[in-house]
């Protein structure tokens, strides 16, 4: 699919949704580097009634989604997120700051488990929940061992490699994700259902053990999120755009 075809599909989507459509499609972690290019696009667009964001991301930094939502909402009255395939972790946090999430039969959200950079391997991003589970596992191993002294002796070298400052930073990220989720839900997605905010926040930040757990549109709706089903022509256009951007992404990788 060439640029002209993508533009035609975007125009059709804007007519179907009566909105202006932006696209974020990436396989690299979502971080603050998106903010300046996004601001330039929004400034060129100007204030408009409704903005839809096509979002394809596996997650990223804990603070970025909140900044992204606040920035987009400076330029519109209504904000929708369209998920063709995946909006995981930090990208799911963006959804909580929308008025609705548009999902098709293969669309997935995920638990809110932000990523942090590994202190040694700088190109490696680690789900912060993994640090907590590691510490829980080590504690259980010592507690449940028939010989706690031996278990402590074996595990101490591992514990000694865990920097207390880093552990504190990971724990802070977990608390921040809870705070951001609650703030976005209460202000936007669930502003008319405040009694649901606490439960949805807990479910998304602590209710799933797998970082990649797939939350489809039915489960998202059962959680309490405002889900708009993408069917018929709407879904055909959204899916065609996903395939077009996937093709473009693969071409760019081949050039690199």
């Amino acid at each position: 699919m060439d640029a002209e075809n993508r533009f035609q599909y975007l125009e059709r989507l804007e007519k179907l949704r009566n909105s202006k459509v932006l696209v974020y499609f990436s396989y690299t972690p979502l971080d603050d580097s998106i903010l300046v290019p996004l601001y330039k696009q929004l400034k060129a667009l100007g204030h408009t009634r409704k903005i839809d964001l096509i979002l394809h991301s596996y997650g990223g930094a804990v603070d970025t989604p909140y900044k992204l939502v606040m920035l987009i909402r400076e330029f519109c009255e209504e904000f929708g997120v369209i998920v063709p395939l995946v909006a995981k972790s930090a990208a799911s946090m963006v959804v909580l700051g929308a008025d609705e999430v548009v999902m098709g039969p293969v669309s997935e959200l995920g638990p809110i488990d932000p990523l942090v950079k590994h202190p040694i391997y700088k190109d490696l991003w680690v789900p912060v929940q993994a640090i907590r589970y590691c510490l829980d596992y080590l504690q259980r191993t010592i507690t449940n061992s028939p010989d706690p002294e031996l278990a402590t002796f074996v595990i101490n070298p591992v514990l000694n490699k865990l920097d207390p400052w880093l552990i504190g930073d990971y724990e802070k990220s977990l608390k921040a994700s809870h705070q951001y989720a609650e703030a976005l839900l209460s202000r936007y997605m669930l502003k008319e259902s405040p009694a649901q905010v606490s439960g949805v926040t807990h479910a998304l930040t602590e209710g799933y053990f797998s970082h990649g757990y797939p939350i489809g549109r039915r489960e998202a709706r059962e959680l309490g999120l405002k889900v708009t089903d993408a069917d018929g022509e709407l879904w055909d256009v959204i899916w065609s755009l996903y395939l077009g951007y996937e093709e473009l992404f693969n071409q760019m990788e081949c050039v690199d």
Side-chain angles (χ1 to χ4, degrees), residues 16 104-105 217 229-240:
L16 289 171
R217 60 183 176 180
D229 290 322
D231 297 307
E233 184 185 4
L234 176 60
W235 176 246
D236 290 341
V237 171
I238 291 170
W239 188 246
S240 295

Side-chain angles (χ1 to χ4, degrees), residues 46-112:
H47 193 278
T48 187
R49 186 186 67 82
K50 183 177 180 181
I51 290 177
D52 280 325
L53 175 68
I54 296 178
L55 182 59
H56 179 80
S57 170
Y58 285 87
V62 66
D63 299 315
T64 301
Y66 188 83
K67 297 177 185 180
L68 186 153
V69 170
M70 293 299 105
L71 177 56
I72 290 176
R73 284 196 170 272
E74 286 285 332
F75 289 84
C76 65
E77 304 302 322
E78 297 178 42
F79 173 43
V81 174
I82 299 172
V83 181
L85 189 61
V86 292
K88 297 286 194 174
S89 192
S92 290
M93 184 85 77
V94 175
V95 170
L96 306 188
D99 297 301
E100 62 173 326
V101 55
V102 182
M103 301 178 70
V106 297
S107 305
E108 293 180 14
L109 307 180
I112 295 172

Side-chain angles (χ1 to χ4, degrees), residues 207-224:
Y208 299 92
F209 295 110
S210 171
H211 180 75
Y213 183 95
I215 300 175
R217 60 183 176 180
R218 179 180 298 180
E219 187 167 352
R221 184 177 287 110
E222 290 171 351
L223 282 172

Side-chain angles (χ1 to χ4, degrees), residues 32-43:
D32 285 1
S33 64
I34 186 182
L35 298 176
V36 172
L38 175 61
Y39 174 65
K40 290 179 179 178
Q41 279 194 302
L42 290 167
K43 192 174 180 182

